[in-house]
Amino acid sequence: MTAPLTPSDNQPPEEPQHPDAAPAAGPGAPAGTDDPPLGRELREAALIALVVMVSGVLLGVLWNWLAPHIPLIADTRNVYLKDTEGEEAIGTDGTFLLLSLGFGVVSAAVTFLVRRRGGIPLVVALTAGGLLGAAVGWVTGMWLGPTPDVVAHAKQVGPGVTFYGPLRLQAKGALLAWPLAAMVTQLVLTGFFGPRDPEPPAPDWSTAPVPGDHHGHHPPADG
């Protein structure tokens, strides 16, 4: 007969470790994940929204520079379109739309490259900042363009002289192009290149206890 195994130094026997059990967190380990606190996320989101909104000034400058302007002509009494079949008004809206889409994609891509994270505050910041940036670009482009006082402008240039009308955005729905493009781009980049949750460790069956023996030893044979 063999003596039963007893723990040395009167120490309690070790509990068997189960592979699926999660390791206990140390006293200095955070209780949650490594995500930044909500307060810092909100401050970063506010800063991003502000920067995106201010960049709308550049949108207005490019819109005034690239968009086709509507040529007008006047006589002594009235102001007329020089080309009644011209498509300058459509081209003006189309230029603003394409520029806004580009600004939305670029703003979201730059933000993702800087932060490498997603989150609801970031998406809201890009959407709100993009909408405000589009409005700023719209106002800036009109301010940089020809004067909206067409009658005074016609009197200034004189009868029979071609001049350009004010820069106007007929399709107000184009203001939504920037925020929508930014939101979709951010979600796509986060889905494909964002951080992934860690995979659970595979169970190590080599350390599994033998059935019928909690200490991992076979019972001794009689004899």
Side-chain angles (χ1 to χ4, degrees), residues 14 22 33 39 58 75 78 87 111 126 139 171 201 203:
E14 295 183 357
T33 60
L58 180 59
D75 54 18
N78 298 308
E87 298 180 353
T111 303
L126 287 173
V139 175

Side-chain angles (χ1 to χ4, degrees), residues 55-66:
S55 63
V57 176
L58 180 59
L59 170 63
V61 173
L62 293 176
W63 183 41
N64 178 64
W65 179 34
L66 298 175

Side-chain angles (χ1 to χ4, degrees), residues 1 45-46 54 100 110 113 126 128 136 162 167 170 183 193 199 216:
M1 300 293 292
V54 173
S100 297
V110 171
L113 290 176
L126 287 173
V136 170
T162 301
L167 197 63
Q170 305 294 335
M183 180 178 61
F193 306 105
E199 295 290 338

Side-chain angles (χ1 to χ4, degrees), residues 43 49 53-57 92 109 144 183 201 210:
R43 288 193 297 270
M53 180 188 70
V54 173
S55 63
V57 176
T92 300
L144 294 176
M183 180 178 61
V210 177

Side-chain angles (χ1 to χ4, degrees), residues 36-61:
L38 181 60
R40 191 177 71 174
E41 276 199 349
L42 293 178
R43 288 193 297 270
E44 290 181 355
L47 179 61
I48 290 171
L50 179 62
V51 172
V52 172
M53 180 188 70
V54 173
S55 63
V57 176
L58 180 59
L59 170 63
V61 173

Side-chain angles (χ1 to χ4, degrees), residues 7-218:
S8 60
D9 299 333
N10 296 324
Q11 295 295 326
E14 295 183 357
E15 293 287 337
Q17 297 293 329
H18 297 282
D20 297 335
T33 60
D34 58 351
D35 293 337
L38 181 60
R40 191 177 71 174
E41 276 199 349
L42 293 178
R43 288 193 297 270
E44 290 181 355
L47 179 61
I48 290 171
L50 179 62
V51 172
V52 172
M53 180 188 70
V54 173
S55 63
V57 176
L58 180 59
L59 170 63
V61 173
L62 293 176
W63 183 41
N64 178 64
W65 179 34
L66 298 175
H69 292 68
I70 301 176
L72 303 175
I73 194 169
D75 54 18
T76 56
R77 301 181 60 182
N78 298 308
V79 179
Y80 307 95
L81 290 171
K82 184 177 181 180
D83 186 5
T84 56
E85 298 181 357
E87 298 180 353
E88 288 81 6
I90 299 177
T92 300
D93 291 353
T95 302
F96 186 90
L97 177 64
L98 293 177
L99 287 174
S100 297
L101 290 174
F103 269 73
V105 172
V106 171
S107 61
V110 171
T111 303
F112 180 80
L113 290 176
V114 172
R115 296 188 78 250
R116 289 289 182 179
R117 284 194 303 270
I120 296 178
L122 179 60
V123 175
V124 172
L126 287 173
T127 304
L131 183 60
L132 294 174
V136 170
W138 174 33
V139 175
T140 302
M142 291 191 302
W143 180 70
L144 294 176
T147 175
D149 193 346
V150 178
V151 176
H153 198 180
K155 291 180 179 179
Q156 180 183 2
V157 299
V161 179
T162 301
F163 64 99
Y164 292 104
L167 197 63
R168 290 196 175 103
L169 184 64
Q170 305 294 335
K172 300 302 189 294
L175 295 171
L176 301 176
W178 186 339
L180 290 178
M183 180 178 61
V184 172
T185 302
Q186 174 64 27
L187 294 177
V188 170
L189 291 177
T190 304
F192 280 96
F193 306 105
R196 298 289 190 272
D197 294 333
E199 295 290 338
D204 187 4
W205 300 110
S206 62
T207 60
V210 177
D213 184 7
H214 296 289
H215 296 283
H217 297 280
H218 293 284

